[in-house]
Amino acid sequence: MTHRFMGHNEQMTTPIPLLVFAGSTRAQSWNRQLAGAVADIAAAEGAQVTRLELADFDVPLYNADLEATGTPADVVRLKEIFHAHPAWLICSPEYNGSYTALLKNTIDWVSSPVKGDPLWASGSKPFAGKVVGLLSASPGALGGLRSLSHLTPLLMNLQCWVAPRQFALAKAHEAFDPDGQLSVEASRTQAHAVVEQVLWAARQFQR
Ligand SMILES: Cc1cc2nc3c(=O)[nH]c(=O)nc-3n(C[C@H](O)[C@H](O)[C@H](O)COP(=O)(O)O)c2cc1C
């Protein structure tokens, strides 16, 4: 029996396809800005980054009667994109102590089997085995932390591997420089730690 051991450099240079998106479509969204900042950090770490904007997808409010008439094409597109990326970073706003209806609606649609399509017969297929890093941003003092404590079990229920390191960016309205980067070093360090852990874990899965 032969074993193939991956050399250190080889492992370090295999780019991880990383999906980055925010749970807000607001033009001036802090979470979209945070997504941009962590996408830059991840690209600098050698990840192959895809920025996803949920505003680019025409996804109605989930309704099983509507679904029975056919899964919207953009939902299938989202399934394909989620499935194609072994690692994700999600920047989640906090609404009333939880994550947004936009995120819930997106996840509900993407986790629902497509009737008559054996490719998408398993609802958890786009989610299972993904390494997911969670961040949040809010103008408030807790940085949207509570949204992450709700998002974590939801994603784990869909068989995602949620990275234990998370980051909630407080006072988000004071946190970015004019280039959209995190202006405070402590924030950059914490965001970087989430990115690093996600890429590290995704590399272990790649072996
Ligand atoms: C309905 C609603 C509820 C909110 N509840 C919270 C909350 O519980 N905690 C918090 O930190 N911010 C809360 N906010 C403020 C959001 O953090 C703020 O609007 C933020 O900018 C949203 O994220 P975004 O900038 O990425 O769109 C709430 C906002 C709305 C519209």
Side-chain angles (χ1 to χ4, degrees), residues 86-90 127 130-134 155 160-164 198:
W88 311 347
L89 293 173
I90 306 177
F127 297 86
K130 306 304 180 185
V131 178
V132 185
L134 296 180
L155 291 167
C160 290
W161 294 79
V162 180
V198 166

Side-chain angles (χ1 to χ4, degrees), residues 5 10-11 13 18 22 24 27 35 37 51 72 78 92 101 105 109 131 141-142 193 206:
F5 293 104
E10 187 184 351
Q11 190 193 112
T13 53
L18 177 76
S24 173
R51 272 294 300 281
L78 280 170
S92 168
N105 192 55
W109 268 115
V131 178
L142 294 179
Q206 217 180 31

Side-chain angles (χ1 to χ4, degrees), residues 55-66:
D56 294 340
F57 295 80
D58 190 8
V59 177
L61 199 57
Y62 181 84
N63 176 300
D65 294 336
L66 175 66

Side-chain angles (χ1 to χ4, degrees), residues 22-33 91-98 100 137-147 172:
S24 173
T25 52
R26 201 170 70 84
Q28 301 302 321
S29 162
W30 305 118
N31 286 279
R32 290 182 57 244
Q33 283 204 49
C91 297
S92 168
E94 180 176 279
Y95 281 4
N96 294 312
S98 190
T100 55
S138 162
L142 294 179
L145 183 70
R146 293 173 300 171
S147 72

Side-chain angles (χ1 to χ4, degrees), residues 10 22 63 72 79 82 91 99 120 130 141 181 190 201:
E10 187 184 351
N63 176 300
K79 281 176 179 278
F82 280 27
C91 297
Y99 51 84
W120 300 113
K130 306 304 180 185
Q181 302 304 317
Q190 292 202 67

Side-chain angles (χ1 to χ4, degrees), residues 4 41 43 68 145 147 187 200:
R4 182 176 175 273
I41 292 171
L145 183 70
S147 72
S187 298
W200 176 85

